[in-house]
Amino acid sequence: MYNNILTKNFTAVTITRLSLPTLFLVIFCTLALFISQPSLAHNGATGIVKERMDLMDRLKVAMKSLATIYRGGQVYDAQQVREAATIIEQHSANTMARLFPEGSVQHPSTAKANIWRNWDDFANLADRQQLISQGLFSAADNPPQQQNSQLSNMMGTPPPSMLSNSQLMGASENTAEDYASMPSNQVFKKLTDNCSSCHSRFRAKN
Amino acid sequence: MRIKHALLVLALIITSWGSWSLFTKSAPVTLNVTQGDVNRGAYLARASGCIACHSATSAGGRALAGGAALETPFGTFYAPNLTTDQEHGIGAWTLQQFATALRHGTSPDGQPYYPAFPYSFYSKLTDQDVADLWAAFQTVPAVAKSAPEHNLSFPFNLRFGLNIWQSLFFDQTEFTAAESTDPQYARGEYLVESVTHCAACHTPRNLFGALQHQQQFAGSASLLQGEGSIPAITADHLKQTGWSQSDLSYALQSGIKPDGDVFGGSMAEVVKDGTAYMQKQDLQAIAYYLLNRK
């Protein structure tokens, strides 16, 4: 794989540009090694790794059904939102976290080893998922509300200031009651961001 | 052979040094437009990632006061303070200097910038868009603190080496939309190839960190430490993996892929701090262009 990268890049360089100093090449080659990672096939999982992949796949299905609703082009169905929110709620917090025993990164898992160095953060994200999905359940009857103008949404408020810092940083931690009173599509967004935050830190690419 | 190489380097350094000094003295950018629109500029600052890179939000940093560490194989970059502070930000700059930074990748005192600042894409922004950005930056509250210095390994810490890099790899030709009578395609092309710079991550780079345009969007190893590989987004690949225009536009708005999985890694940030704020018709134009790219 390393060879492949080297030859690929090397020929591209030599063909398209004048051949540059060997010294520089050597330095860059060495550095290029750091950016490649082997890819993992997603099959043949067993035991706890399989269990959590199955859990994640159930989350995925529930998210897909929610996305279909919030994408528009379909009548809003509060009952369907509650059903999906319930599934997600049932697969959060410790139900999720307990499937990540220390050091369980065996093939074909894409879990990162930093989970156990940052266990509190990881467990927090799993807990937040529970809180937000409960919030979504309660907010299901609040009809989705489009930000009427994305421009002014981005600005928060009109000029003079491009961005105040509170807008940039978003609201701080929300409570279950906050979620219950928000338009349901905004709670759904929080839920999505929570999945992404955890994946960005703790799930490697495959 | 080795002597030949050594001579080549020398020649290269001398030529680029020469062209550099020529360059920096002669090339301040003059825009045809000087009046900018704050709202449009703020929209662009979101869409093009200025806010994402230049703010360390999760560490509690203030808007545009300097970015979080960007860890790459060349070392760690910190996007500088772009607030209106006179000393630590760009409060003392002129529109012309701002335009020169974006168009030529050079600072007011003629130093070349690292391509970690994706100016090779911004050099293709229209005059109006640059003026709009500038107007919006005038409204950013000053923060009197500099961002940390970059921490780069040798030889990348030698900024003058960038002159060579720029003379080899920086294509400063202005943006010319492909022949197209299709306004959605043209808008999508401009947004993808300049504003949202999708190629910065999705196109492979050569050993010198320069984009390999003949493999546009073919997927790449990530330059960010520990991120692994980034998938292809060529029209063929997207179609093969089942993306429709509306899937892609929705994913850029929401961060959710068609199968219900979510984006991770730096793509999650691209969406959260950038494309999520874009207007539907712009996202649809991006998707349309990528799926029909010629």
Side-chain angles (χ1 to χ4, degrees):
Chain A
M1 139 153 247
Y2 290 160
N3 279 340
N4 178 22
I5 286 191
L6 293 184
T7 45
K8 196 174 84 200
N9 287 325
F10 186 79
T11 40
V13 169
T14 41
I15 290 169
T16 55
R17 304 286 172 189
L18 40 162
S19 76
L20 274 148
T22 335
L23 170 71
F24 271 38
L25 265 184
V26 170
I27 295 167
F28 276 95
C29 289
T30 326
L31 288 160
L33 297 182
F34 292 110
I35 49 179
S36 54
Q37 275 188 359
S39 58
L40 299 167
H42 164 189
N43 50 28
T46 52
I48 199 98
V49 170
K50 177 162 193 324
E51 269 188 67
R52 70 196 184 208
M53 284 181 167
D54 290 346
L55 175 141
M56 293 292 171
D57 282 341
R58 260 170 259 143
L59 292 178
K60 177 173 89 172
V61 172
M63 286 299 277
K64 184 175 177 175
S65 90
L66 288 166
T68 321
I69 296 172
Y70 289 110
R71 240 166 117 153
Q74 178 180 316
V75 184
Y76 181 73
D77 181 348
Q79 185 53 30
Q80 202 182 328
V81 171
R82 279 189 287 267
E83 279 163 21
T86 306
I87 293 174
I88 294 174
E89 201 262 305
Q90 287 166 347
H91 294 91
S92 341
N94 197 41
T95 309
M96 177 192 280
R98 72 182 175 80
L99 299 179
F100 289 87
E102 178 141 20
S104 57
V105 290
Q106 56 272 33
H107 180 86
S109 172
T110 54
K112 289 199 198 168
N114 64 350
I115 291 176
W116 298 283
R117 290 194 297 273
N118 300 278
W119 181 257
D120 288 350
D121 293 354
F122 184 83
N124 243 327
L125 285 158
D127 288 348
R128 271 194 86 216
Q129 178 169 306
Q130 183 170 50
L131 182 74
I132 305 172
S133 51
Q134 284 165 349
L136 182 60
F137 185 96
S138 322
D141 284 322
N142 311 345
Q145 206 176 71
Q146 292 315 319
Q147 264 86 27
N148 36 3
S149 151
Q150 304 222 5
L151 263 181
S152 72
N153 163 38
M154 173 201 50
M155 299 291 300
T157 44
S161 145
M162 168 139 84
L163 280 164
S164 82
N165 291 295
S166 63
Q167 282 149 20
L168 181 74
M169 291 160 61
S172 45
E173 213 55 51
N174 291 91
T175 65
E177 293 79 55
D178 295 339
Y179 291 127
S181 61
M182 280 160 75
S184 69
N185 58 323
Q186 288 176 25
V187 186
F188 176 54
K189 175 137 192 19
K190 301 271 180 196
L191 189 58
T192 313
D193 286 349
N194 194 64
C195 314
S196 275
S197 307
C198 191
H199 289 178
S200 291
R201 273 186 78 187
F202 299 119
R203 176 187 176 193
K205 231 128 277 125
N206 53 13
Chain B
M1 218 30 212
R2 214 177 277 151
I3 299 179
K4 211 170 144 197
H5 271 148
L7 285 174
L8 224 143
V9 196
L10 207 72
L12 220 87
I13 292 179
I14 294 169
T15 9
S16 49
W17 196 270
S19 58
W20 170 55
S21 32
L22 241 165
F23 193 69
T24 50
K25 279 186 202 114
S26 66
V29 171
T30 315
L31 302 176
N32 293 321
V33 192
T34 48
Q35 280 305 314
D37 179 294
V38 175
N39 278 304
R40 289 194 72 252
Y43 180 73
L44 281 164
R46 275 292 188 192
S48 59
C50 326
I51 296 176
C53 258
H54 285 271
S55 316
T57 325
S58 48
R62 314 258 310 266
L64 291 161
L70 289 169
E71 279 164 33
T72 76
F74 311 106
T76 305
F77 292 95
Y78 295 91
N81 181 334
L82 297 184
T83 70
T84 45
D85 188 85
Q86 299 270 328
E87 191 186 334
H88 306 275
I90 58 170
W93 287 31
T94 62
L95 167 59
Q96 200 181 52
Q97 289 172 329
F98 181 72
T100 307
L102 292 174
R103 285 277 164 83
H104 292 334
T106 41
S107 72
D109 56 6
Q111 298 282 337
Y113 288 124
Y114 287 97
F117 168 24
Y119 53 80
S120 62
F121 297 90
Y122 303 146
S123 66
K124 298 177 173 43
L125 290 172
T126 62
D127 285 8
Q128 184 65 59
D129 282 354
V130 173
D132 290 346
L133 277 167
W134 179 244
F137 274 95
Q138 302 313 299
T139 69
V140 178
V143 173
K145 187 164 181 284
S146 296
E149 296 280 312
H150 307 319
N151 182 7
L152 307 176
S153 47
F154 178 82
F156 313 108
N157 55 348
L158 304 176
R159 198 176 272 274
F160 73 81
L162 290 168
N163 294 303
I164 309 179
W165 193 93
Q166 287 192 341
S167 67
L168 285 175
F169 300 119
F170 181 26
D171 168 16
Q172 295 193 26
T173 50
E174 282 190 23
F175 181 79
T176 38
E179 288 289 310
S180 173
T181 45
D182 182 346
Q184 192 176 30
Y185 187 89
R187 177 68 180 162
E189 180 176 25
Y190 177 66
L191 289 169
V192 167
E193 306 291 351
S194 179
V195 177
T196 60
H197 59 275
C198 312
C201 299
H202 285 279
T203 296
R205 290 172 188 269
N206 68 18
L207 291 173
F208 304 92
L211 294 167
Q212 295 178 279
H213 293 292
Q214 65 284 29
Q215 294 184 56
Q216 186 81 325
F217 302 130
S220 174
S222 177
L223 276 183
L224 297 176
Q225 211 78 48
E227 177 155 271
S229 61
I230 298 179
I233 53 167
T234 54
D236 283 348
H237 182 87
L238 289 170
K239 283 181 195 146
Q240 270 160 26
T241 44
W243 290 83
S244 69
Q245 185 188 354
S246 111
D247 287 339
L248 188 48
S249 148
Y250 182 69
L252 293 171
Q253 180 209 316
S254 67
I256 306 171
K257 299 194 255 189
D259 67 354
D261 198 353
V262 294
F263 285 138
S266 51
M267 191 65 205
E269 281 158 35
V270 167
V271 172
K272 186 160 170 282
D273 299 326
T275 56
Y277 292 91
M278 292 178 76
Q279 289 168 320
K280 283 228 171 65
Q281 73 256 33
D282 274 350
L283 294 178
Q284 263 153 11
I286 289 178
Y288 181 75
Y289 169 71
L290 283 171
L291 283 162
N292 296 291
R293 205 169 65 87
K294 292 177 271 265

